[in-house]
Amino acid sequence: MSSPAPSPASDSCGLRVFWDDKLVSYDFGAGHPLNPVRVELTMALARELQVLDAPGVRLEEFDPADDDLLGLVHEAPYIAAVRQAGATGRADLRHGLGTADNPVFIGMHEASSLVAGASVAAARAVWTGRSPHAANIAGGLHHAMAGAASGFCVYNDPAVAIAWLLDQGAERVAYVDVDVHHGDGVQAAFYDDPRVLTISLHETPRTLFPGTGFPTETGGKGAEGSAVNVALPPGTGDANWLRAFDAVVPPLLRAFRPQVLVTQHGCDSHALDPLAHLILSVDGQRTAYAMLHRLAHETAGGRWVVTGGGGYELVQVVPRAWTHLLAEASGRPIPPETPTPRDWREFVRLRTEEIAPLRMTDGTSVVEVRTWAEGYDPANPVDQAVLATRREVFPEHGLDPLMYA
């Protein structure tokens, strides 16, 4: 059994947080699971805990993504359709606009391009060396396709940010997605591009939207091994999820040696999330953030672009998880036993009429993990899923699927 190593030193962890209050205008309306209050509560908690005031942390403004930037990933007719639907309020089902998942709202194009602009600004800050780490906590809309909205996602901001990096000359970009849902839109955008390694750990598509993300999806011709999918069984909790992460992500990132690491941090893998069936805690999620932080420094020279993602337990989970994420990226992790501030709890009550959590932990300050190096258990369904992934993609990277590297 092992415990996580310490986070990188704070003096190597400058952080730009790209934020605009208008980001909460990405709003599908009352009753929709993707309620922007989750981002509002996250930023309020991060402020109350002084994460955003820490040395080396800066909030920055940014511009919305224009059509040229969006066009790096999205088809021109689709961008026009989003703009038209957002101006008129009329559905366009050919482009996935006006469905139950993606209802049309006035200002849809402007709100969606703002989210994409924040992720591109984060990528620009890291690529140009202005900051080793950068975050768009409102981003991570990983389901949007080139010509259609999907899964609460209109424009695919992580894909646009990665495409911008490639346009600037990046030769190797790694994308790690820990949302409970498969990162299908980002995978699709780069499926034939060996410059981008996409790794997604998610609930098996046999039981969850979008129905993709099997281990056999490994990249197109000339890009074999560039798509990596770990499809985990329902009921997977902290220790087994982190074991799967340890078995797949570090060896592949070390082999690929990305120039930039882009990560998507949907926290809908939590046990309380109403839309999925994994059972992680905030403590397990916090541990994953620390592991990714260390890997950014080890494999990508510290260049780390952070986005949010899914997460539908709006009060108990998302604000704490993503405040931990921002604190981790700042190099000053929050001790898990830290109480949530009284003023924040009162703000939660006023905004949502719910009772906020009292502490920044679910009760497990250190999550112990039995690493893959300690042996394969053929009776463990998680180990079976991990081995299926390793067998599909490890040989493409010169790695032995049966040994830890």
Side-chain angles (χ1 to χ4, degrees):
M1 304 286 285
S2 68
S3 302
S7 299
S10 60
D11 58 4
S12 63
C13 300
L15 174 65
R16 296 290 199 278
V17 179
F18 289 89
W19 176 253
D20 185 318
D21 288 343
K22 293 178 183 177
L23 284 165
V24 299
S25 66
Y26 188 87
D27 185 356
F28 291 112
H32 193 281
L34 193 77
N35 189 324
V37 75
R38 70 202 186 118
V39 182
E40 183 182 356
L41 296 180
T42 297
M43 293 299 288
L45 181 57
R47 286 191 177 97
E48 288 287 343
L49 289 174
Q50 300 183 318
V51 173
L52 304 180
D53 298 322
V57 178
R58 288 182 55 183
L59 261 65
E60 291 204 2
E61 298 179 346
F62 57 95
D63 295 321
D66 60 21
D67 286 10
D68 288 340
L69 277 175
L70 296 172
L72 295 174
V73 168
H74 294 289
E75 298 164 359
Y78 174 60
I79 299 170
V82 174
R83 183 179 278 109
Q84 178 72 7
T88 65
R90 291 198 296 267
D92 182 345
L93 297 180
R94 294 174 303 164
H95 293 103
L97 303 170
T99 64
D101 277 1
N102 291 89
V104 170
F105 61 93
I106 298 299
M108 175 180 278
H109 169 77
E110 290 75 16
S112 304
S113 62
L114 194 66
V115 175
S119 289
V120 172
R124 183 181 292 112
V126 168
W127 183 250
T128 59
R130 286 176 47 234
S131 180
H133 308 336
N136 171 21
I137 209 69
L141 305 178
H142 60 168
H143 293 307
M145 295 294 177
S150 177
F152 314 161
C153 305
V154 177
Y155 294 140
N156 194 319
D157 63 284
V160 174
I162 293 168
W164 182 87
L165 288 166
L166 298 177
D167 200 48
Q168 299 304 302
E171 297 176 346
R172 295 180 310 282
V173 179
Y175 171 77
V176 178
D177 188 318
V178 299
D179 196 290
V180 78
H181 301 91
H182 177 225
D184 57 337
V186 182
Q187 175 179 289
F190 305 107
Y191 200 68
D192 299 316
D193 193 333
R195 297 174 296 173
V196 181
L197 174 68
T198 64
I199 306 175
S200 179
L201 292 90
H202 48 265
E203 184 179 329
T204 173
R206 298 186 187 281
T207 57
L208 194 66
F209 175 91
T212 58
F214 290 98
T216 50
E217 299 168 33
T218 60
K221 186 174 177 57
E224 294 85 355
S226 67
V228 182
N229 290 291
V230 185
L232 297 167
T236 299
D238 288 342
N240 274 320
W241 191 99
L242 291 165
R243 174 171 166 80
F245 180 103
D246 172 76
V248 173
V249 179
L252 287 173
L253 290 184
R254 289 166 184 150
F256 187 68
R257 297 178 300 107
Q259 293 164 296
V260 181
L261 176 62
V262 179
T263 54
Q264 196 269 19
H265 295 271
C267 52
D268 40 9
S269 58
H270 194 277
L272 295 180
D273 196 273
L275 299 190
H277 314 98
L278 300 190
I279 55 172
L280 273 68
S281 68
V282 165
D283 302 288
Q285 293 171 334
R286 172 179 50 81
T287 302
Y289 306 156
M291 294 168 77
L292 284 165
H293 189 186
R294 290 192 300 276
L295 285 165
H297 284 271
E298 178 187 345
T299 69
R303 291 177 289 273
W304 189 23
V305 178
V306 172
T307 70
Y312 310 100
E313 209 322 307
L314 308 174
V315 171
Q316 301 301 319
V317 176
V318 179
R320 291 187 299 157
W322 288 351
T323 297
H324 275 303
L325 174 61
L326 291 172
E328 177 63 44
S330 78
R332 291 173 171 80
I334 296 169
E337 295 295 330
T338 300
T340 56
R342 182 186 300 272
D343 286 350
W344 179 75
R345 296 198 300 270
E346 177 62 13
F347 179 62
V348 169
R349 186 186 68 81
L350 292 172
R351 286 291 288 116
T352 68
E353 299 183 349
E354 292 192 33
I355 298 173
L358 295 176
R359 296 186 299 164
M360 292 296 290
T361 178
D362 282 338
T364 306
S365 59
V366 176
V367 180
E368 298 286 350
V369 180
R370 186 172 66 87
T371 68
W372 192 256
E374 296 175 52
Y376 166 69
D377 179 1
N380 183 341
V382 171
D383 281 21
Q384 294 169 15
V386 167
L387 188 57
T389 298
R390 288 171 61 108
R391 281 176 167 159
E392 290 289 344
V393 297
F394 270 37
E396 300 290 346
H397 296 268
L399 302 173
D400 186 339
L402 298 178
M403 295 182 64
Y404 190 86

